[in-house]
């Protein structure tokens, strides 16, 4: 059994390449099913996809890594070489360390952000519902959640962090003299838009509107902020009304095109527009960035803004890494115990099988004696004596073989196993 992590993220791949490998949450189950069906021996698998990363975690035969690369490249419509140029493959303890760092927010564009933990939990839940989460990955991720909780509670890793949405408000404040005078359009109604609306609402803009594919979900979010609701189809005709546009949907194609923005600017008489595209793949066509009166930012453009204050958190990072190191050691010890060549789990299974066989034999003998009318006390005595003899036979035989040194070592082990003072006693209460 081997564990691995294979993926691309904001450190290794540009936004448009990441967009090719973006999966909505409702796509994860069928995608995992297709991936596992593509391999002769189906590994455990979990797929994590956010605006900053797409990662496949696997457990099984190491030989599955190369076919996984080929499958992922085909899924994204790129050559294997292009994917290899931007992907990372991590194995064993390095894969575990990566999972723990991701869960703890140490590998995020926003250092210490907490949203990734929820996204990882959603991915694990989807893998479980798809039947792709086995014992090994279950352990890996449950431990990653525990480590993330410890990092969050015992370090200051999340202190002073600037989220993407907070960064968007900061940039808007640099463009507009007073955010109370602007009209803001939010495109989408997911978690990221909810965060953005919360940050902008705190600045009390002149008006806010939420455009969403389904009005019901948009109305629910708009009700919290006193915002107007509109359909995505209304955006081209009303885009000129808004000074700031924040977009984050799960659409596979751009929602706002170059032509719509050009027409909006003309109606605005070229008053500037502030636009933030937090979606991967893009919601706003890339060509919009070239327009003179548009200030368009993507998730990657916000990277330098969210790094502000990073130096203040370096001590917390060191503490967090120490917690993660301990978690990795514990997980690898658990893996080692399960190893057929190095671990104790196979031996435990063999011992349990043997004792079950002895128990079955003695129970069958006891039932025959009872059927013949033997006294119950005599049958119980014979049952206990038979089990004891079977369990002690090998131990007593080992004490009689070998030289004096070997017998002494065996005697010490037997004493430790059978003559412990607390044998049979309930554990002490602290």
């Amino acid at each position: 059994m081997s564990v691995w992590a294979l993926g691309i993220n904001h450190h290794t791949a540009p936004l448009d390449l990441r967009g090719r490998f973006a999966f909505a949450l409702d796509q994860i189950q069928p995608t995992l099913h297709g991936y596992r069906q593509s391999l002769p021996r189906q590994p455990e698998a979990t797929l994590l996809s956010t605006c900053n990363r797409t990662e496949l975690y696997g457990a099984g035969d190491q030989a599955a890594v190369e076919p996984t690369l080929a499958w992922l490249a085909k899924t994204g419509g790129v050559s294997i070489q292009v994917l290899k140029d931007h992907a990372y493959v991590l194995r064993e303890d390095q894969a575990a360390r990566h999972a723990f760092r991701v869960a703890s927010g140490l590998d995020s564009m926003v250092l210490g952000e907490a949203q990734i933990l929820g996204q990882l939990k959603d991915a694990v839940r989807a893998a479980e519902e798809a039947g792709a989460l086995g014992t090994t990955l279950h352990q890996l991720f449950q431990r990653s959640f525990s480590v993330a909780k410890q990092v969050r509670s015992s370090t200051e890793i999340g202190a002073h962090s600037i989220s993407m949405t907070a960064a968007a408000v900061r940039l808007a404040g640099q463009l507009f003299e007073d955010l109370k005078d602007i009209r803001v359009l939010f495109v989408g109604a997911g978690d990221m838009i909810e965060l953005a609306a919360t940050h902008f609402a705190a600045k009390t803009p002149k008006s806010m509107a939420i455009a969403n594919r389904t009005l019901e979900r948009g109305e629910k979010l708009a009700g919290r902020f006193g915002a107007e609701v509109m359909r995505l189809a209304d955006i081209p005709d009303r885009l000129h009304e808004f000074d700031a546009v924040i977009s984050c949907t799960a659409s596979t194609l751009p929602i706002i095109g170059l032509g719509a923005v050009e027409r909006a600017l003309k109606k605005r008489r070229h008053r500037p527009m502030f636009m933030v595209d937090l979606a991967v793949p893009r919601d706003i066509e890339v060509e919009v960035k070239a327009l003179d009166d548009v200030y368009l930012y993507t998730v990657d453009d916000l990277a330098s803004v969210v790094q502000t204050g990073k130096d203040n958190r370096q001590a917390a990072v060191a503490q967090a890494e120490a917690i993660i190191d301990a978690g990795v050691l514990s997980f690898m010890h658990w893996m080692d115990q399960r190893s057929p060549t190095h671990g104790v789990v196979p031996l435990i299974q063999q011992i349990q099988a043997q004792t079950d066989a002895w128990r079955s034999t003695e129970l069958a003998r006891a039932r025959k004696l009872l059927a013949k009318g033997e006294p119950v006390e005599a049958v119980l005595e014979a049952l206990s004596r038979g089990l004891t003899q079977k369990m002690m036979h090998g131990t007593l035989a080992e004490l009689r073989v070998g030289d004096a040194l070997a017998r002494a070592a065996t005697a010490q082990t037997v004493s430790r196993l059978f003559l412990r003072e607390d044998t049979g006693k309930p554990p002490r209460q602290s």
Side-chain angles (χ1 to χ4, degrees), residues 186-188 211-215 230-236 249 255:
F186 300 98
V187 183
N212 196 49
R213 195 173 303 279
T214 58
L215 281 182
M230 53 189 278
R231 298 182 184 277
L232 292 182
D234 297 331
I235 291 177
T249 74
I255 301 289

Side-chain angles (χ1 to χ4, degrees), residues 13-32:
L15 187 152
D16 287 326
L17 182 61
R18 299 202 306 273
R20 288 179 169 271
F21 298 95
F23 300 93
L25 188 59
D26 60 2
Q27 294 177 304
I28 288 182
Q29 285 192 48
T31 301
L32 282 176

Side-chain angles (χ1 to χ4, degrees), residues 57-78:
Y57 293 86
D61 190 345
Q62 272 205 29
V65 174
E66 284 299 319
T68 299
L69 266 168
W71 172 85
L72 190 59
K74 183 178 179 181
T75 301
V78 302

Side-chain angles (χ1 to χ4, degrees), residues 195-234:
L195 282 171
T198 301
H199 282 289
F200 271 95
K203 301 296 182 181
T204 60
K206 182 180 293 185
S207 69
M208 294 169 56
I210 294 175
N212 196 49
R213 195 173 303 279
T214 58
L215 281 182
E216 183 180 354
R217 188 170 181 183
E219 286 170 349
K220 185 177 178 181
L221 183 59
R224 288 185 51 196
F225 302 104
E228 178 191 357
V229 182
M230 53 189 278
R231 298 182 184 277
L232 292 182
D234 297 331

Side-chain angles (χ1 to χ4, degrees), residues 197-344:
T198 301
H199 282 289
F200 271 95
K203 301 296 182 181
T204 60
K206 182 180 293 185
S207 69
M208 294 169 56
I210 294 175
N212 196 49
R213 195 173 303 279
T214 58
L215 281 182
E216 183 180 354
R217 188 170 181 183
E219 286 170 349
K220 185 177 178 181
L221 183 59
R224 288 185 51 196
F225 302 104
E228 178 191 357
V229 182
M230 53 189 278
R231 298 182 184 277
L232 292 182
D234 297 331
I235 291 177
D237 293 331
R238 296 194 55 191
L239 189 59
H240 66 281
E241 299 175 19
F242 301 99
D243 306 293
V245 179
I246 316 297
S247 187
C248 187
T249 74
S251 174
T252 56
L253 296 172
I255 301 289
I256 301 174
L258 176 64
V261 178
E262 287 177 327
R263 290 191 296 274
L265 287 173
K266 188 175 180 180
K267 290 181 181 179
R268 291 173 59 84
R269 300 191 178 185
H270 294 278
R271 282 182 292 116
M273 290 184 71
F274 173 75
M275 308 185 82
V276 177
D277 188 352
L278 295 171
V280 179
R282 296 174 189 266
D283 276 346
I284 303 173
E285 284 188 345
V286 63
E287 293 82 4
V288 169
K289 194 163 190 172
L291 297 176
D292 289 338
D293 300 300
V294 172
Y295 297 83
L296 172 61
Y297 297 88
T298 65
V299 287
D300 288 357
D301 294 326
L302 296 175
S304 60
V305 180
V306 300
Q307 295 307 317
T308 302
K310 185 175 181 179
D311 292 342
N312 298 333
R313 299 193 297 278
Q314 289 310 306
V317 169
Q319 292 175 323
E321 295 285 11
I323 294 170
I324 288 168
D325 286 344
V328 171
L329 284 174
S330 176
F331 175 72
M332 295 312 296
H333 176 68
W334 178 84
M335 286 283 290
D336 188 58
Q337 285 184 316
R338 295 177 58 80
S339 167
T341 54
H342 303 293
V344 297

